[in-house]
Amino acid sequence: MSVVVIAFNDAGRLPRAVGSALRQSLSAVEVVVVDDGSTDGTGLVAERLAAEHPGRMRVVRLPVNSGGCGRPRNAGVERARGRYVMFLDSDDVLDPHACLNLLTTAEDTGADLVSGLCTRVHMDRVRKRERPWYPWLYQRTAVYGALCDNPDLLYDTLATNKLYRRAFLERHGLRFAERLHYEDLLFTAEAYLAASRTALIPHRVYNWLVEPHTRSISSRRSELANFADRLEIHRRIDALLRRHGDEELRLAKDVKFVNHDLLLYMRDLPCRDAVYREGFRALAADYLAGLDPRVYEAASPMAAIAAYLLREGDQDGALAAAEYPVLGAELVQHDKRVFWSGRYASSREARRILDVTHLGLQQCPLSELRPLNVVTGLTVRDGRARLRGHVLNPLGRVAGDATMTASLELSARLRPRRVFRVTATVTHAGDRLLWAADFDPVRQVGPVGVADAVWDVRLRLNVDGEEVVTRLSGRELGGAVEHVLLPVRPRLSRLAAGSLRPYITTRGNLAFVLHRSGRAWRTARAAAKAPLGRRALRSARRTLRAARRLHRAARRAVTSRTTKTAVFNHVLSRLPVRTGTVVFESHMGRHYADNPKYIHRELRRAGVPVRAVWAYDSSPRGFPKDAVLVRRNSWAYHWELARAQFWIDNQGFPGGLRKRPQTTYIQTWHGSAFKLMGFDQPRIKRAGRAERARLRRMVERYDCFLIRSRHDVDTLVRGLGVRAELVPAGYPRNDPLVNADPDVAAEAQALRRSLDLDDGRRVVLYAPTFRRGPDGEPVRHVDPPIEPRRFAREFGDVMVLLVRPHYLCRTRRPAAAGIRALDAGRLPDVTPLLLLADALITDHSSLMFDYALLDRPMILHVPDPQTLGGGYFDLTEHAPGPVTATEDDLVAALADLDCVGARYARRRRAFVQRFGEYDRGTAARAVVERFFTTREGARDG
């Protein structure tokens, strides 16, 4: 194998790159270094390395720099002697096993081209951040016979994370374009089309090292010629695909251009001057005019809007679309539809492309919006700083009579907890909210001066109790604020700095950096450079690092779970029980939902005098305001648990906490079981004695356990090893499904209105369970069960599909018209959603036991029939609806939904009788009467 390393004026980093190739676990590797006319000694370094590794390394020195990567790579290919060829840039490194993994795959599959995972490694001084390059392409090993088998390969057009057969390159005359940047886009497209077989492996092979304050020649997007080169390369790829005669491949390439290439440049436009913007607009509009019109349907919605508006000459609207989810467009609402701009009225095409109703911007909580916040002024006078600006008010979501408060927040970029806040004023001005902050930075902003040099700025806006947080765009300030300095007094004195200097980030946001200047700073810097000063500085740094380590160790000791558990068990649990205190928790604090929520509501409805405490995991948003809220695993959480008379949850309070006898633990659980539970799971059976003992201790704390049927006794109770009192009351969360609860019905109707579902279409809910992939890893993302465009085509006029994942998963939002995707974070409580749905699609989620109570059509969609095995019963025998395995079967069942409902009515009723016999709509009341209002319950407490 030959690894071609190209270099230009990179003497310092070349040895690192060459070393990564010479130290490969595959020994039969030669390195060909091509010096592209360097002037800094890179060629001499290469010659020295070649002398140190005779027979394994050769050097090619070009007399004149070519200005790109094409010529040196071609020169390297011409001198390579290996049967396989790879490419490496001098500022990057190969993974130690890259050559071996790629070569083995090539030999095993006969592929002409093998590609592996590339990872971008950001080499910041404080920490390294890694970001895989299109990781979804490399989730598993795959072999493709042609590019049309997977057009998404066009997204990975890097030449460096690939292995090529040398004979394949020669047979097709494959070489890089010269005197043009982005030559690898054309080269890889030609290689993909020419290869008789292309293989992908999930292994990391290439590390793309991104160092701060350095830009490769292809990353210099501030030069308009850079964008012109990219467009020229794309025109050549277009011509190549036209000769190939595959219109679908050309469409896929156009989609990639809109989704990726175009957005790369558009996101930088706020930092460019007017001349650059106009030149960019002209170049882009000319190229976009020749794209396949279907690209605006196939591309990502916001990327398509950006491309369309740029083509039509609306650069501001296009830029706003490129910056989404920052909301910078003045939306237009017409006939219950929301459009990105007023251009929607110009044509049918415009209305189709600019329709953004599916984003839900008209009804989502204000706190989820990220409206554009533009700074219009920054001045300092008499030691006081004044910032002013305006925030977009999309669709007039903030009413003129809303109660508004605001504060400006400065936070250290590397120390996010180091925050200073100053009060701001805010006034309503129609489509904008005007704000201003006037403060004394010396008194109100006090940086330390070490590790907090850079400060980001945000505006926190509170509107009728909802908080909206925005970054401050400095696009209107430009360079006018470079010499405006905010005086500050760092805690390390003025030797650290005397002011904050504003600057505009690469994303166009306003930020501040400590400005070190003045006689004191120059004197201190000179002293630090002296020999004695350097020694003192090194000593101070060592002392400071030791103090930091000691501080971190002390903080970890105080806040660790081990410490809190020990204090809980030996100290807090000896304190008196606080009568009437009830600690509630649902799904380990994720939401205010499920059975604990409905018990809490019943306590309030019955007027029982309890002190309710709710635990939350990350945010208190959505939890009841009349309860005491504590963060899970905090000291306050342990204090409340230790003194509570009742614990109520549906999953499990932290292990290790010993429940005292005076506390009653009501375990409601969160669903009847189809999958094996507790000690019945093979994983637990295989686990060691310690793991089984841990589960047993968790369960032994229960004082009572709610069940829905005798099936629960045979499955959940036995599997978990429950020895507590069994309460056959059903689930409180199911009470509204059996009885007409006006409050929950109102929630369902409000949800219907917020989702704009009053147009007569039937609501179909897709709610699968949590599952693991073939590799045993959790599947974290849920896709619609039907390809979105097909659903829109088949059922868009009569049905709306809502996708609700398991609370441990997330939804990949489909973009096609007629599809709604609802994340668990948006709606924590599933009960109103079940009431809203006219039909349910699930797999073997426990929701099927709950939804059956509504006696509505249900379809069990199980693409992998093997998952039906190994449960507590044969699901196909008792299924309350048809079981489908393919998309076609599911489409057929939905098309015949009324008949499906009628045909399975008897089985649904039998299903309820078997698995929900105790659900009578009185579960919450039964729990409250049993434990909170009877004399017996009071004595048990």
Side-chain angles (χ1 to χ4, degrees):
M1 182 182 297
S2 297
V3 177
V4 176
V5 184
I6 64 171
F8 171 68
N9 284 354
D10 203 10
R13 294 180 294 190
L14 179 62
R16 181 182 63 187
V18 170
S20 74
L22 292 176
R23 290 192 295 270
Q24 287 290 300
S25 56
L26 178 70
S27 59
V29 174
E30 72 157 0
V31 177
V32 180
V33 175
V34 183
D35 173 28
D36 193 13
S38 297
T39 60
D40 73 336
T42 297
L44 296 177
V45 172
E47 296 284 4
R48 177 177 58 79
L49 291 172
E52 294 173 358
H53 300 88
R56 295 199 62 196
M57 180 176 168
R58 290 176 295 129
V59 180
V60 180
R61 300 185 69 172
L62 302 182
V64 180
N65 178 252
S66 66
C69 301
R71 177 70 189 116
R73 284 177 179 165
N74 289 338
V77 171
E78 291 162 5
R79 295 292 298 274
R81 294 179 299 197
R83 289 190 298 116
Y84 296 92
V85 178
M86 284 189 70
F87 300 101
L88 172 63
D89 293 343
S90 62
D91 53 350
D92 300 328
V93 295
L94 295 176
D95 182 84
H97 306 292
C99 294
L100 180 61
N101 288 331
L102 292 168
L103 177 66
T104 302
T105 304
E107 295 289 299
D108 290 345
T109 64
D112 295 320
L113 166 62
V114 184
S115 186
L117 179 65
C118 169
T119 299
R120 285 172 60 95
V121 183
H122 295 264
M123 306 290 289
D124 295 343
R125 287 191 303 171
V126 178
R127 63 184 184 277
K128 290 197 299 185
R129 294 176 292 115
E130 297 187 352
R131 181 171 297 176
W133 184 257
Y134 293 109
W136 45 272
L137 285 172
Y138 295 97
Q139 292 181 349
R140 60 184 179 84
T141 301
V143 181
Y144 302 102
L147 178 57
C148 59
D149 292 343
N150 186 7
D152 284 349
L153 291 175
L154 290 170
Y155 279 88
D156 184 4
T157 50
L158 297 177
T160 49
N161 61 331
K162 296 173 177 59
L163 174 73
Y164 311 87
R165 287 183 185 270
R166 173 67 186 275
F168 162 68
L169 297 179
E170 298 301 332
R171 184 167 61 251
H172 295 280
L174 293 177
R175 292 295 187 271
F176 290 90
E178 299 183 9
R179 293 181 296 278
L180 280 174
H181 298 319
Y182 306 110
E183 67 292 326
D184 47 355
L185 274 69
L186 178 59
F187 178 81
T188 51
E190 291 175 322
Y192 282 141
L193 286 170
S196 61
R197 187 171 294 175
T198 298
L200 269 61
I201 60 175
H203 308 294
R204 178 170 173 166
V205 300
Y206 195 86
N207 295 292
W208 178 354
L209 306 185
V210 183
E211 299 190 20
H213 312 302
T214 60
R215 287 294 183 97
S216 64
I217 54 178
S218 60
S219 298
R220 298 169 189 164
R221 294 193 290 270
S222 59
E223 302 169 8
L224 203 55
N226 184 290
F227 183 55
D229 277 4
R230 188 182 282 263
L231 292 182
E232 175 57 29
I233 288 293
H234 273 278
R235 288 190 174 94
R236 296 188 185 189
I237 297 174
D238 293 338
L240 174 68
L241 293 175
R242 279 195 296 271
R243 291 195 299 271
H244 190 264
D246 193 326
E247 290 299 319
E248 294 305 314
L249 273 180
R250 188 180 174 198
L251 173 61
K253 190 242 92 180
D254 288 348
V255 169
K256 183 258 180 181
F257 174 81
V258 169
N259 284 345
H260 174 72
D261 301 71
L262 186 63
L263 288 183
L264 276 179
Y265 290 84
M266 292 196 66
R267 286 169 179 159
D268 292 337
L269 279 182
C271 304
R272 309 296 182 223
D273 57 31
V275 175
Y276 181 98
R277 289 191 188 188
E278 179 54 32
F280 175 83
R281 186 205 60 77
L283 288 171
D286 180 62
Y287 182 73
L288 291 168
L291 295 188
D292 189 326
R294 295 177 296 168
V295 72
Y296 300 106
E297 295 291 330
S300 299
M302 300 313 299
I305 290 174
Y308 174 78
L309 292 177
L310 197 61
R311 189 192 78 180
E312 297 300 306
D314 184 358
Q315 192 172 87
D316 290 340
L319 178 59
E323 292 181 319
Y324 185 82
V326 174
L327 189 56
E330 295 185 359
L331 306 177
V332 178
Q333 191 163 11
H334 176 72
D335 195 23
K336 292 188 177 183
R337 311 300 295 175
V338 178
F339 299 93
W340 192 254
S341 78
R343 285 182 174 267
Y344 78 93
S346 61
S347 66
R348 179 177 299 177
E349 180 190 38
R351 286 191 292 276
R352 184 177 66 253
I353 296 171
L354 300 178
D355 190 336
V356 292
T357 310
H358 63 279
L359 296 178
L361 300 173
Q362 66 276 25
Q363 80 271 337
C364 72
L366 281 174
S367 56
E368 294 185 12
L369 293 179
R370 293 174 58 185
L372 179 66
N373 186 348
V374 177
V375 181
T376 56
L378 169 57
T379 58
V380 176
R381 182 176 300 172
D382 298 329
R384 293 191 66 82
R386 180 175 175 80
L387 277 83
R388 61 184 183 276
H390 56 75
V391 181
L392 188 70
N393 183 13
L395 298 172
R397 290 289 307 275
V398 179
D401 59 351
T403 302
M404 297 185 295
T405 58
S407 63
L408 202 64
E409 178 181 279
L410 285 80
S411 60
R413 183 172 297 173
L414 298 182
R415 297 289 186 271
R417 293 184 180 180
R418 198 170 294 169
V419 178
F420 297 99
R421 292 185 177 90
V422 296
T423 303
T425 60
V426 58
T427 57
H428 197 284
D431 60 349
R432 295 179 179 181
L433 308 175
L434 307 181
W435 62 268
D438 191 338
F439 60 99
D440 182 350
V442 172
R443 295 179 56 191
Q444 295 178 267
V445 180
V448 174
V450 176
D452 61 352
V454 182
W455 293 79
D456 293 312
V457 194
R458 294 174 177 83
L459 182 74
R460 289 189 176 271
L461 182 65
N462 190 289
V463 181
D464 291 336
E466 282 195 87
E467 191 173 61
V468 182
V469 182
T470 61
R471 291 291 299 269
L472 275 59
S473 172
R475 61 175 60 180
E476 293 191 9
L477 295 176
V481 296
E482 291 181 357
H483 304 293
V484 178
L485 301 179
L486 276 65
V488 293
R489 185 173 294 124
R491 299 177 194 174
L492 293 183
S493 83
R494 290 186 181 273
L495 293 179
S499 58
L500 288 173
R501 176 176 56 82
Y503 76 99
I504 309 302
T505 69
T506 56
R507 290 298 185 196
N509 295 319
L510 177 67
F512 291 91
V513 62
L514 284 175
H515 184 63
R516 297 180 171 94
S517 64
R519 180 181 301 175
W521 166 248
R522 288 193 295 269
T523 302
R525 183 172 59 176
K529 287 185 176 180
L532 183 61
R534 285 199 297 268
R535 287 194 296 271
L537 188 60
R538 285 196 294 269
S539 176
R541 285 174 176 168
R542 285 195 296 268
T543 302
L544 183 60
R545 283 196 292 268
R548 285 177 177 170
R549 287 195 295 268
L550 183 62
H551 172 70
R552 285 195 294 266
R555 186 172 61 183
R556 282 196 299 268
V558 171
T559 61
S560 71
R561 178 173 296 182
T562 301
T563 300
K564 291 175 180 176
T565 300
V567 172
F568 179 94
N569 291 333
H570 299 292
V571 180
L572 298 182
S573 60
R574 299 178 184 273
L575 298 174
V577 166
R578 189 168 182 173
T579 303
T581 294
V582 186
V583 177
F584 294 90
E585 187 173 286
S586 176
H587 293 308
M588 295 183 288
R590 284 181 173 85
H591 304 297
Y592 175 59
D594 212 82
N595 292 319
K597 168 185 174 178
Y598 289 92
I599 294 175
H600 174 244
R601 286 174 51 149
E602 180 62 27
L603 285 169
R604 289 290 182 255
R605 184 178 297 158
V608 179
V610 298
R611 178 175 175 268
V613 178
W614 271 91
Y616 66 89
D617 179 38
S618 58
S619 171
R621 189 175 65 195
F623 286 82
K625 292 182 173 55
D626 62 344
V628 177
L629 305 183
V630 293
R631 192 183 188 96
R632 196 173 197 264
N633 290 322
S634 66
W635 277 111
Y637 174 78
H638 287 79
W639 172 270
E640 296 292 353
L641 277 177
R643 303 198 61 194
Q645 184 182 3
F646 294 95
W647 293 358
I648 300 179
D649 95 311
N650 65 349
Q651 193 157 342
F653 287 106
L657 302 184
R658 292 198 293 266
K659 184 190 71 68
R660 62 203 303 176
Q662 297 88 350
T663 299
T664 300
Y665 188 169
I666 303 173
Q667 173 57 256
T668 71
W669 207 244
H670 53 272
S672 296
F674 168 74
K675 294 180 292 186
L676 301 180
M677 303 298 296
F679 294 99
D680 290 340
Q681 297 179 82
R683 178 181 64 84
I684 299 297
K685 290 180 178 179
R686 293 192 302 267
R689 183 179 302 173
E691 175 67 14
R692 292 196 297 272
R694 186 192 67 82
L695 177 58
R696 190 172 293 110
R697 287 193 299 270
M698 294 273 289
V699 175
E700 284 175 350
R701 297 181 300 180
Y702 303 165
D703 290 299
C704 85
F705 191 83
L706 302 190
I707 57 173
R708 302 183 59 217
S709 64
R710 281 167 290 185
H711 168 77
D712 286 356
V713 178
D714 297 333
T715 56
L716 283 173
V717 173
R718 186 193 66 194
L720 294 173
V722 176
R723 293 189 174 91
E725 174 192 353
L726 303 182
V727 180
Y731 280 169
R733 74 181 187 191
N734 288 341
D735 290 351
L737 304 182
V738 179
N739 298 325
D741 187 312
D743 294 335
V744 182
E747 288 183 40
Q749 287 305 313
L751 178 62
R752 179 183 293 274
R753 288 192 297 271
S754 69
L755 295 175
D756 196 17
L757 300 178
D758 291 325
D759 55 5
R761 288 186 291 177
R762 303 175 76 173
V763 178
V764 178
L765 172 65
Y766 176 55
T769 189
F770 174 77
R771 63 184 180 86
R772 297 182 181 271
D775 57 358
E777 292 298 314
V779 177
R780 296 297 186 186
H781 291 90
V782 174
D783 293 313
I786 303 174
E787 197 280 321
R789 293 179 185 84
R790 182 178 185 184
F791 183 89
R793 185 173 61 251
E794 301 273 357
F795 307 111
D797 294 336
V798 294
M799 292 182 185
V800 175
L801 180 65
L802 300 182
V803 180
R804 188 194 193 269
H806 188 274
Y807 65 87
L808 293 177
C809 306
R810 290 293 180 266
T811 302
R812 274 194 269 255
R813 284 181 176 269
I819 301 294
R820 304 285 191 272
L822 188 63
D823 202 326
R826 286 280 310 278
L827 188 70
D829 187 9
V830 73
T831 302
L833 192 55
L834 294 179
L835 284 171
L836 178 68
D838 298 298
L840 174 70
I841 302 172
T842 187
D843 39 21
H844 44 75
S845 166
S846 64
L847 281 182
M848 64 181 173
F849 299 106
D850 305 322
Y851 193 75
L853 296 169
L854 293 170
D855 196 24
R856 297 175 186 172
M858 195 185 318
I859 301 170
L860 305 183
H861 183 59
V862 189
D864 182 7
Q866 293 183 352
T867 60
L868 294 179
Y872 280 120
F873 60 92
D874 186 343
L875 185 58
T876 57
E877 178 183 348
H878 299 282
V883 180
T884 61
T886 67
E887 184 175 305
D888 290 339
D889 293 340
L890 179 57
V891 168
L894 282 177
D896 196 27
L897 192 58
D898 289 330
C899 292
V900 166
R903 190 162 58 248
Y904 283 85
R906 180 176 298 177
R907 294 190 67 166
R908 281 197 305 275
R909 288 191 288 271
F911 192 80
V912 170
Q913 182 60 34
R914 178 183 175 89
F915 300 108
E917 58 183 309
Y918 302 144
D919 274 318
R920 305 182 185 92
T922 58
R925 189 168 73 244
V927 171
V928 169
E929 291 178 351
R930 167 68 180 83
F931 293 99
F932 295 94
T933 62
T934 65
R935 185 173 304 171
E936 180 185 354
R939 186 170 60 251
D940 288 345

